[in-house]
Amino acid sequence: FLISTYNKMWEDAQKDLDIQLQKEREEFLQPENDHEKVFKMLTTSYIKYMQIFRSLEMAHDQLVHQQKRAVIQQVLDGVMGRILEIKKEMVELENSEFHYVDNILVDLKLLPEVLEVPIPRYFIKERLEVLQQREKMLDQILLNAGLQIQEPAETMTTEEAARLIQVAERARQGRCRAALMKKLYLEDKRQNQTEPQVETGPSPDDAATCIQKVWRGYNQRQKTQKMREEEMIFLGMTLPPHLAATSDSQMHARQVNTRKSEVQERHEEVPIKDKLREMEGLHMKETLQDQIGQCFIESRHIVGRFPDYPTEKAGGSKALFTDKTPEEILAELAEKKMMELQKKAQKGKNEARKEKPKEKPSQKPGSKPPVEEEGWKMAPSNFLSIMEEGNRQYKVFWQNREKGWDFHQDHDPELIKAEKREEVEEEIRVQVDELMQQKLTNLKLIVDGEKSRKQKKGKKSEKGKKKKKTKHHQTFQWRVMSLVHRTIDSLYEELVENGLVIKAQTVNLSDYVGEYSYLGSTLRQIDIEPVPSLADVRQLIALYGILPLGSQIVHEKAPLVKALLLAGPAGVGKKMLVHAICTETGANLFNLSASNIAGKYPGKTGLQMMLHMVLKVARQLQPSVLWIGETEKVFSKGARMAEEEANPGRLAKILPKFLKVLKAQDRVLLVGTTNRPFDANLKPFCDTYKKIILIPRPDYSSRFGKYLMLWKHIILQNGGTITNLLDISSLAKVSDGFTQGHIVQAVQAVLSELRLLQMTRKPLRTEEFVTSLATQDPVYKEEEETFK
């Protein structure tokens, strides 16, 4: 039942994806000038992809078949990347990170929960063993360094120990007393029996009555149990016996088959690969040799000489196989000659312009009409091909494959053959390249009389360049020479001991409770910019922080976000969101706050060494999050006046260079948090953090929502119970202007250990929390306006 359900879910998601891809080919390729129409079109596609994303993620998590999961994961990565691309277009269209689409949701008859970004569970499950080993290693390093105290065993007080001993002793005495009374009862019974009864035993009638009583009781219990099962089956509460047996076996198979299929597939890969090499290897080798030889002959016939054999870096013989006709090759050669002539002509024009720089202004008041804009057009996508390939694989291999029960969920050897055939062909291609390269050299000597001297000259020039580079970068290499021969484990241990690698708290993104804003589009219609809701913040954290760090393909091909700034008043949950990113992706957390690195690596050289170590470890153990708390101190004007060792501004000059080094392949994210962004020097501040997320205080719908009550969530989380005497609606109204941190402090101050013990006879009341909340200062409107 479960397998067929999630297969059906996968099938429906693929059908929706096929329709959406067809829709994109029709709509997004045509220019559009209407701003509202473009935004509605983008939002509709965004919502549809989000629904497909949710279905695919659920199917991927629940299905056991490894080959199915591989196809689903490919499409899943494509859908995630496409969502990020559409989000980028929406941001550029509205010049805002926050979008209010409640009117579109009403037209589509959907709830705001559709916009919630699901977090793929394979981010953690596929790396669970690695993460557990890393956590153990981190705990051990912290214990050895004395930075973490081992949790002591639970000890009892003298009173608790005495009470436990009393209970055990009383139980022992009770058992002894019961054994003594049983012994006395049996002795009295034996003495009361007459001698003939002892010799003959019970009468046959008494024995038959005893047997009848036992049998009738057993028979009636069986009938009652059977009647009960039939009634439950009739009511639909349980499955029939044949289906129930299948269901139990499926549940057992669900627990075992995941690892079983993985191990089986690994064992099958080796013999399949060997069989392919034996059966098809010779044919592949001959075919490749014939194709490369034909390419040599055609090239000499067209160009007049044999081609140069591509190097291994260029792809070897792969670079020779292009789907081009001889006429296209001649056209390319003609284009290259034309490009060279154009470059020479352009140089001449540039020299003429330098000689006559005053003639440019005279061309400005010309009578040429302005060129009309073509309108908005969707940028080319890096993920449409991935989704189309996954959709094609589904249609070819899985759409009409198996309609019945797939109990064992075994892999398909034919699909493995298709994958391994490419690997075998690549191995054979390397061998063929060596043979054909020697053959090409011989052909050049025999036919053209050429010798390969150009490569040697190139090597010499490269050596010369390398020498120049070593002299130019000699200073920097001397600083980091000590790190070259060190292992990643030793560098990781040093960073942990210095407090730069910290243990992330286990916090999920769903723990950041907040409701959706239902009046966003209404307020924008009357020219009032609405305050973003906490649900919008959750979406942006998932889109910019969690999804790219969790998937390598998404991070490489999606719009790259290297740095993220979380700005908001104190207590709105900025640090919690940083820890949530690490928890959802299994990322390492590096604390590069100014207060944390002060005095640990003094001087400019020490700071460069530290960042080099951090970058090396973060790349090797990716994904990684580099957190800078109170980041406005790094970019503040007063930071330059501080001492060199404790100067937080020394990091501001290196951070831009640090971010330039990060490539799309590096799943490393810089996250800054600040509650006073207006104290920073804005130009370098905004140059470093391209994405800035404003985190507001919770509104009334978040403090008292239908599904996500902030007050209720925090009270239950701290061990409290909700009764009718506790008016949460009044608490939500009174706490207007207070942040989540204020509410947590108020709840923790009320729910002490003594108060929790008194809760059964003295329920919680509203006045207790109001009194505790009144001792704190709220976020005033003036401070809130400064963030806007």
Side-chain angles (χ1 to χ4, degrees):
F1 174 74
L2 290 174
I3 295 173
S4 62
T5 299
Y6 293 108
N7 277 327
K8 184 67 168 58
M9 185 181 292
W10 179 27
E11 182 182 352
D12 294 340
Q14 289 291 155
K15 287 180 181 177
D16 293 339
L17 180 62
D18 197 12
I19 294 171
Q20 184 62 28
L21 290 174
Q22 184 64 30
K23 186 178 177 182
E24 281 205 16
R25 296 188 197 101
E26 295 174 358
E27 293 183 355
F28 285 175
L29 295 179
Q30 299 177 359
E32 183 61 49
N33 293 318
D34 190 355
H35 180 279
E36 294 182 0
K37 186 177 180 180
V38 170
F39 181 73
K40 187 175 182 180
M41 187 167 56
L42 288 172
T43 306
T44 307
S45 298
Y46 178 85
I47 294 172
K48 194 62 184 177
Y49 274 121
M50 199 65 73
Q51 291 176 316
I52 297 170
F53 178 24
R54 186 172 286 101
S55 300
L56 288 174
E57 195 280 325
M58 182 66 71
H60 179 271
D61 183 65
Q62 296 297 325
L63 287 176
V64 179
H65 202 292
Q66 292 298 317
Q67 291 171 322
K68 290 181 181 179
R69 286 166 56 88
V71 176
I72 296 174
Q73 185 170 340
Q74 179 183 359
V75 181
L76 193 61
D77 290 336
V79 172
M80 285 191 290
R82 189 57 179 159
I83 288 173
L84 293 176
E85 289 178 342
I86 294 176
K87 178 66 177 179
K88 180 185 177 184
E89 294 291 333
M90 294 168 68
V91 171
E92 292 178 353
L93 193 66
E94 286 203 326
N95 294 322
S96 174
E97 296 288 346
F98 301 97
H99 313 291
Y100 304 97
V101 295
D102 42 309
N103 53 350
I104 299 177
L105 290 174
V106 171
D107 295 339
L108 297 174
K109 297 180 181 180
L110 296 173
L111 295 174
E113 285 76 14
V114 177
L115 297 174
E116 201 70 36
V117 182
I119 308 299
R121 280 161 279 194
Y122 79 87
F123 288 172
I124 298 296
K125 286 185 177 181
E126 291 187 352
R127 304 175 56 244
L128 188 58
E129 294 183 2
V130 176
L131 295 177
Q132 289 175 348
Q133 292 177 359
R134 190 182 301 168
E135 187 176 1
K136 288 181 182 179
M137 183 173 68
L138 180 60
D139 290 335
Q140 189 62 40
I141 294 172
L142 291 173
L143 285 173
N144 296 338
L147 300 175
Q148 181 177 330
I149 302 173
Q150 191 171 5
E151 295 182 0
E154 295 183 0
T155 57
M156 293 185 292
T157 61
T158 307
E159 296 178 355
E160 292 175 347
R163 193 179 299 112
L164 183 63
I165 294 171
Q166 287 176 357
V167 171
E169 178 62 23
R170 287 170 183 167
R172 187 192 67 80
Q173 291 178 4
R175 290 192 295 271
C176 292
R177 193 179 298 109
L180 179 62
M181 295 303 295
K182 183 179 180 181
K183 183 179 179 181
L184 294 175
Y185 170 74
L186 293 175
E187 288 180 357
D188 292 342
K189 187 176 180 181
R190 195 179 300 112
Q191 290 175 0
N192 293 333
Q193 289 179 350
T194 59
E195 292 182 359
Q197 287 179 344
V198 174
E199 292 176 359
T200 59
S203 63
D205 294 338
D206 293 338
T209 304
C210 182
I211 293 172
Q212 287 176 359
K213 184 174 27 174
V214 173
W215 167 250
R216 286 174 181 172
Y218 171 76
N219 193 21
Q220 188 60 40
R221 285 193 296 272
Q222 293 295 320
K223 289 181 180 179
T224 305
Q225 181 67 21
K226 187 176 181 181
M227 290 172 62
R228 179 177 175 81
E229 290 177 358
E230 290 176 353
E231 183 182 5
M232 297 298 286
I233 292 171
F234 175 74
L235 295 174
M237 301 296 289
T238 57
L239 293 173
H242 62 285
L243 293 180
T246 306
S247 178
D248 293 339
S249 61
Q250 284 177 352
M251 293 300 293
H252 179 68
R254 183 168 182 75
Q255 298 173 358
V256 176
N257 276 357
T258 302
R259 290 185 175 273
K260 181 181 176 182
S261 59
E262 289 178 358
V263 174
Q264 186 178 4
E265 188 172 351
R266 289 172 190 166
H267 287 298
E268 288 287 341
E269 284 179 359
V270 177
I272 287 175
K273 193 173 181 179
D274 293 339
K275 288 179 182 178
L276 281 174
R277 192 181 289 108
E278 293 176 4
M279 300 293 293
E280 303 179 13
L282 184 61
H283 177 69
M284 289 181 184
K285 189 173 182 180
E286 293 176 354
T287 305
L288 283 173
Q289 288 178 346
D290 293 341
Q291 290 176 351
I292 296 171
Q294 186 66 24
C295 181
F296 292 162
I297 296 170
E298 290 180 359
S299 178
R300 193 177 190 286
H301 178 70
I302 296 169
V303 183
R305 64 182 182 84
F306 289 109
D308 295 330
Y309 207 91
T311 60
E312 292 183 6
K313 293 182 179 179
S317 58
K318 282 185 179 180
L320 295 174
F321 299 125
T322 56
D323 300 330
K324 296 179 181 178
T325 61
E327 290 79 8
E328 290 177 347
I329 296 174
L330 290 173
E332 284 187 1
L333 294 173
E335 285 181 4
K336 287 181 180 179
K337 291 181 179 179
M338 288 295 295
M339 289 292 293
E340 291 177 359
L341 293 174
Q342 287 178 0
K343 285 181 181 179
K344 292 179 180 179
Q346 189 68 25
K347 287 181 181 180
K349 289 181 181 179
N350 292 334
E351 291 176 359
R353 286 176 184 175
K354 288 179 182 178
E355 294 176 357
K356 301 178 181 180
K358 295 182 181 180
E359 294 181 0
K360 290 183 180 179
S362 61
Q363 298 176 359
K364 285 185 178 180
S367 60
K368 292 183 180 180
V371 180
E372 295 182 0
E373 296 183 0
E374 295 183 358
W376 177 88
K377 193 175 181 180
M378 189 70 179
S381 173
N382 295 326
F383 294 94
L384 284 178
S385 58
I386 297 175
M387 290 188 290
E388 289 173 352
E389 176 62 22
N391 199 24
R392 185 194 66 80
Q393 290 184 13
Y394 169 76
K395 290 179 179 179
V396 172
F397 297 110
W398 303 106
Q399 188 172 14
N400 302 317
R401 193 172 186 82
E402 47 186 41
K403 297 296 182 182
W405 292 89
D406 186 12
F407 171 71
H408 294 290
Q409 293 289 295
D410 292 334
H411 65 276
D412 188 355
E414 293 300 324
L415 294 179
I416 298 179
K417 282 184 180 180
E419 296 176 1
K420 295 300 172 184
R421 188 174 284 110
E422 296 179 359
E423 296 181 8
V424 173
E425 187 175 353
E426 187 63 30
E427 293 176 1
I428 294 174
R429 184 186 296 276
V430 175
Q431 301 173 5
V432 171
D433 283 350
E434 295 178 358
L435 295 175
M436 298 305 293
Q437 194 169 3
Q438 185 64 35
K439 184 177 179 180
L440 180 63
T441 305
N442 295 335
L443 284 173
K444 286 183 177 181
L445 286 172
I446 295 171
V447 179
D448 297 336
E450 294 182 1
K451 293 184 179 181
S452 56
R453 297 178 181 177
K454 295 181 180 179
Q455 295 180 356
K456 294 180 180 180
K457 293 180 180 178
K459 289 180 181 178
K460 289 180 181 179
S461 61
E462 288 177 3
K463 288 180 181 178
K465 290 180 181 178
K466 286 183 180 178
K467 288 181 180 179
K468 291 180 182 178
K469 286 186 178 180
T470 52
K471 290 179 181 179
H472 182 70
H473 298 284
Q474 187 175 3
T475 306
F476 178 74
Q477 288 184 355
W478 176 79
R479 291 171 181 171
V480 299
M481 188 60 69
S482 59
L483 306 178
V484 173
H485 302 290
R486 292 183 60 181
T487 62
I488 295 296
D489 291 340
S490 65
L491 295 175
Y492 183 77
E493 184 176 357
E494 180 179 343
L495 293 175
V496 173
E497 291 174 351
N498 287 325
L500 297 179
V501 176
I502 62 176
K503 193 173 182 179
Q505 300 174 7
T506 306
V507 180
N508 294 319
L509 188 63
S510 58
D511 295 332
Y512 191 75
V513 179
E515 192 59 75
Y516 180 78
S517 177
Y518 296 92
L519 297 175
S521 59
T522 306
L523 292 173
R524 278 193 172 179
Q525 288 176 2
I526 58 176
D527 295 332
I528 297 177
E529 184 64 24
V531 178
S533 64
L534 300 185
D536 297 328
V537 174
R538 277 202 311 272
Q539 293 174 26
L540 292 179
I541 293 297
L543 292 173
Y544 293 147
I546 296 176
L547 297 186
L549 285 180
S551 174
Q552 183 70 33
I553 296 176
V554 174
H555 196 276
E556 288 180 3
K557 297 188 176 182
L560 186 60
V561 177
K562 296 182 180 181
L564 192 65
L565 177 66
L566 307 180
V572 293
K574 298 183 291 294
K575 294 179 185 177
M576 176 183 176
L577 291 172
V578 174
H579 289 281
I581 294 174
C582 297
T583 302
E584 298 287 3
T585 60
N588 299 286
L589 182 57
F590 295 81
N591 186 1
L592 302 183
S593 302
S595 58
N596 189 44
I597 65 175
K600 293 182 179 178
Y601 291 90
K604 186 176 180 181
T605 306
L607 186 63
Q608 291 178 348
M609 288 275 289
M610 180 199 73
L611 290 177
H612 183 76
M613 290 171 61
V614 168
L615 182 61
K616 188 174 181 179
V617 175
R619 279 175 166 174
Q620 189 69 25
L621 304 179
Q622 57 183 322
S624 300
V625 173
L626 314 182
W627 170 47
I628 302 179
E630 297 179 341
T631 187
E632 78 279 355
K633 294 183 178 179
V634 176
F635 297 92
S636 63
K637 298 177 182 178
R640 302 176 182 176
M641 304 301 294
E643 296 180 1
E644 181 64 26
E645 292 186 4
N647 184 9
R650 60 182 183 152
L651 199 62
K653 298 180 180 179
I654 306 179
L655 275 181
K657 300 177 182 178
F658 181 81
L659 292 175
K660 285 182 180 179
V661 175
L662 294 177
K663 305 299 181 183
Q665 296 80 9
D666 304 325
R667 285 186 291 162
V668 180
L669 180 65
L670 176 66
V671 181
T673 58
T674 175
N675 55 2
R676 297 186 63 83
F678 33 80
D679 290 346
N681 192 0
L682 292 181
K683 188 179 184 305
F685 192 59
C686 295
D687 289 342
T688 302
Y689 297 104
K690 301 293 184 182
K691 292 290 181 181
I692 301 176
I693 300 177
L694 173 63
I695 305 178
R697 57 179 177 79
D699 53 3
Y700 179 80
S701 62
S702 296
R703 298 191 302 273
F704 181 72
K706 185 177 180 181
Y707 303 105
L708 300 172
M709 288 188 194
L710 186 60
W711 272 101
K712 183 179 179 180
H713 177 78
I714 295 174
I715 290 172
L716 294 176
Q717 197 176 37
N718 287 273
T721 55
I722 307 297
T723 61
N724 294 330
L725 297 175
L726 189 60
D727 189 358
I728 297 182
S729 178
S730 299
L731 284 175
K733 190 68 176 174
V734 170
S735 58
D736 186 18
F738 291 90
T739 64
Q740 298 96 313
H742 294 142
I743 296 174
V744 170
Q745 290 178 12
V747 171
Q748 290 178 350
V750 172
L751 296 179
S752 59
E753 294 183 6
L754 180 61
R755 186 66 185 87
L756 291 174
L757 294 174
Q758 297 174 349
M759 198 177 304
T760 54
R761 55 187 176 82
K762 185 182 176 183
L764 293 172
R765 292 181 176 272
T766 310
E767 298 81 8
E768 300 179 66
F769 296 101
V770 174
T771 305
S772 178
L773 195 66
T775 59
Q776 305 180 48
D777 294 329
V779 178
Y780 296 103
K781 289 185 178 181
E782 293 79 8
E783 183 180 355
E784 195 172 3
E785 289 295 328
T786 55
F787 284 95
K788 295 181 181 180

